[in-house]
Each structure stands twice: as C-alpha cells, then as structure tokens.
C-alpha cells in the first residue's frame, strides 16, 4: 500500500524540487547532520549537502536530485557534468567543509 502511495506521489510531481523536503527529512532520520538545501545558480552540482559520521570520520555528501526517467542524452548533458562538478569543486556555503571526505549521489 505504501509503495502505491509513493508511486502515485512520484507520478504527480511537477518539479524535482518536490523531492527536497522529503529527502532532507529522510537524511535527518537516517542520522545525517548539517543538512542544507543548496540548489540555485551557484550550486555546482549540489542540490543538498549533508554530513554523516563522527567529526573524526565524517563524510560530506553532495546530492543532486532529478525528476523522471533520465535517458542517455540527459545523462551526458547536463547530469554527468553536474556530477563531475560536485566531485571536483567545492561550494560557497557555510555548511560545506572542503576538508572532509566527499561522496556524490
């Protein structure tokens, strides 16, 4: 039943931004901390950033959200480039710590 509700909700989404609040709530419930919505013109491939782990072993995640089915063309341009930017570049945000290990999703 829950699967059907989620499937219907996903099917009726009009914008990928509809994923932001539920994803951020999930991250908080899953033990992530310092969660920030960074979507905007200077996000550099990072819609959401979050940290997980203790300070000594913390990892910073950069998440890029997309809506719908992504085909090869959409993956190559612009999604792949956004993912590479998330790996290579930092972001000018007070919650971003360039010294931490980084993973991109």
């Amino acid at each position: 039943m829950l699967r059907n509700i989620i499937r219907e909700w996903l099917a009726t989404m009009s914008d990928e931004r509809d994923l932001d609040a539920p994803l951020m709530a999930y991250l908080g419930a899953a033990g992530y901390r310092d969660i920030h919505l960074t979507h905007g013109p200077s996000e550099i491939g990072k819609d959401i950033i979050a940290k997980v782990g203790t300070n000594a072993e913390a990892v910073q995640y950069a998440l890029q959200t997309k809506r719908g089915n992504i085909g090869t063309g959409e993956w190559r341009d612009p999604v792949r480039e956004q993912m590479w930017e998330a790996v290579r570049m930092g972001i000018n945000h007070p919650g971003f710590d360039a010294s931490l290990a980084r993973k991109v999703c």
Side-chain angles (χ1 to χ4, degrees):
M1 173 145 174
L2 183 57
R3 180 175 291 184
N4 291 337
I5 293 169
I6 293 171
R7 183 180 300 125
E8 287 301 313
W9 174 71
L10 290 171
T12 60
M13 283 188 348
S14 61
D15 187 345
E16 64 194 32
R17 301 287 53 92
D18 293 341
L19 293 169
D20 294 338
L23 179 56
M24 292 173 72
Y26 168 78
L27 291 170
Y32 289 74
R33 59 184 169 77
D34 206 12
I35 303 164
H36 299 277
L37 178 64
T38 56
H39 175 73
S42 61
E43 72 181 41
I44 312 175
K46 301 163 191 71
D47 287 327
I48 296 172
I49 56 174
K51 297 176 183 83
V52 68
T54 63
N55 287 340
E57 299 174 3
V59 174
Q60 184 164 244
Y61 279 79
L63 297 96
Q64 179 66 230
T65 58
K66 295 296 178 198
R67 178 184 163 270
N69 293 328
I70 298 175
T72 303
E74 293 89 358
W75 167 252
R76 288 186 180 137
D77 184 36
V79 177
R80 181 175 58 183
E81 184 59 30
Q82 290 174 341
M83 299 299 284
W84 277 113
E85 287 176 348
V87 170
R88 293 188 312 246
M89 302 173 77
I91 186 173
N92 188 16
H93 187 279
F96 184 80
D97 185 345
S99 69
L100 293 178
R102 190 179 318 163
K103 292 190 179 184
V104 177
C105 305

